[in-house]
Amino acid sequence: MAKRPAMVNLADVHQAVRELEAAAATGDISPTEASSRINAAKRALTPRELWKASGGRAGANKRSDWPDIRKTVLAIILLLILVAVGVWIATYFAGVAVDTGIVPEPPPSVPDPTQ
């Protein structure tokens, strides 16, 4: 079962809003940008979303779903390796069956002109 990503708590959102209002008051960002960022910060659910919404003033830069992504990629790689090994085994034993005479060799698709 997948682990739930960390969620933002209300105190972090309030801290981000205070920092954005302070940045707007000092003139670092325009009031319209501050308003837009404050609304985005209030909608943020994960620390990564809060970090992007606040312009790096609050939240966390690191994604919280990396373990899930890594697990999925490793599962896909393992599946591809198993498929490749299975195809190799089937091809090998089909060749062994033809070589030992268990299975007759298929006729050629192009007729022999010498006959």
Side-chain angles (χ1 to χ4, degrees), residues 40-107:
K42 289 180 180 179
R43 286 190 309 263
L45 297 176
T46 64
R48 170 84 171 160
E49 290 175 354
L50 184 63
W51 180 79
K52 290 193 303 187
S54 67
R57 291 173 177 83
N61 184 15
K62 186 178 176 188
R63 291 180 60 134
S64 59
D65 59 349
W66 276 118
D68 293 333
I69 293 171
R70 185 174 29 246
K71 190 167 119 180
T72 302
V73 168
L74 289 176
I76 290 171
I77 290 171
L78 177 66
L79 180 66
L80 290 174
I81 290 171
L82 289 175
V83 167
V85 168
V87 167
W88 178 78
I89 288 173
T91 304
Y92 175 76
F93 283 111
V96 167
V98 169
D99 289 343
T100 58
I102 297 172
V103 177
E105 191 166 342

Side-chain angles (χ1 to χ4, degrees), residues 11-55:
D12 293 336
V13 173
H14 290 308
Q15 176 67 28
V17 168
R18 282 193 297 271
E19 289 181 17
L20 287 168
E21 288 172 345
T26 60
D28 291 339
I29 58 176
S30 67
T32 56
E33 183 183 357
S35 173
S36 172
R37 287 188 178 272
I38 287 170
N39 288 335
K42 289 180 180 179
R43 286 190 309 263
L45 297 176
T46 64
R48 170 84 171 160
E49 290 175 354
L50 184 63
W51 180 79
K52 290 193 303 187
S54 67

